[in-house]
Amino acid sequence: TQIEEESDMFPIEPEFSVYKSNSAAPSSNHFMLIEPEETTKTFRGVFNIQQYGKLEYCFYFSNNVDSTWAGGDVAYRNKPTSQYEILSCAVMTTKTQDATNVVRRKPVTFGGKNGKIVEPSETFWTDPLEYNVEEGEYLVFEIKVKYTEIPCNNFINTVAGYESTNNGLTFVKLTKGAPMPNMIGAKRGDIPSLAFIGDSITSGEGGG
C-alpha cells in the first residue's frame, strides 16, 4: 500500500537553520501603527546584542500580527494587514542608547535593491551582509517606510525605539511602537535554537 506523505502546512524557512537570533528582543508584532493617510517616517531601533565581532547578518520581517495587546482593541492575532513600502534600511552602531550619534553606517538591501513593496501577510529576509559590532556597542537598525498602517512592537525593556525628527538630524525616543525586524539574525555557529510560544507573558516584553 502506498502511503501518501503529509506535507507541512507551515514549513520552516531554511534561513532559520543558518541564522540565529542575536538579540533578546521579542520576535512577533503585537501592535499597529495607524495613520489617517499615507505617511513616510524613519525609525531606528537600538539593540543590545548577544555576540560581538564581525558576523554575517540577515534580518527577518513579518507583515503579520500576533497579539493580545490591549484586549484586541488595536491589534489581535491574525489581524488583516496592509501593503506598505520599505524605502531604505541600514545598520550602524552607537556606544550609548542614543540613536542620533551613530557610526559605521551600512545599507541593508532586498534582492539587491534598496527598498521593497511588502504585501499583506508577507514574510521575508533581507540580503545577508557582514557587519562588525564591537564589545560595548549597540546595533542600530534604521528603516524608512511609507505606510498607512504597519505592524510593530511596543519595545519597552529589550529595545529602544526612536523616530526621526528635524529632517533626520535627530531622533526622539518613542513611547509607542516602532516597525523593526522580527529577528536580528546572525551566523553564530552551532548553537541551539529555542522557540518560546505564547503571548506577551511568554516573551516578557513590558513585564518589568
Side-chain angles (χ1 to χ4, degrees), residues 111-122:
K113 298 179 180 179
N114 291 329
K116 173 179 172 58
I117 301 290
V118 181
E119 299 298 338
S121 301
E122 183 179 2

Side-chain angles (χ1 to χ4, degrees), residues 38-51:
E38 190 174 69
T39 186
T40 298
K41 291 186 178 181
T42 301
F43 299 91
R44 284 181 182 174
V46 180
F47 291 83
N48 190 351
I49 66 166
Q50 297 173 319
Q51 183 175 329

Side-chain angles (χ1 to χ4, degrees), residues 89-130:
C89 286
V91 288
M92 51 213 83
T93 63
T94 179
K95 287 190 178 293
T96 66
Q97 281 202 322
D98 176 17
T100 300
N101 299 311
V102 295
V103 295
R104 301 201 304 279
R105 179 187 179 90
K106 188 170 186 178
V108 175
T109 57
F110 304 84
K113 298 179 180 179
N114 291 329
K116 173 179 172 58
I117 301 290
V118 181
E119 299 298 338
S121 301
E122 183 179 2
T123 62
F124 57 97
W125 295 80
T126 68
D127 295 332
L129 76 155
E130 278 199 345

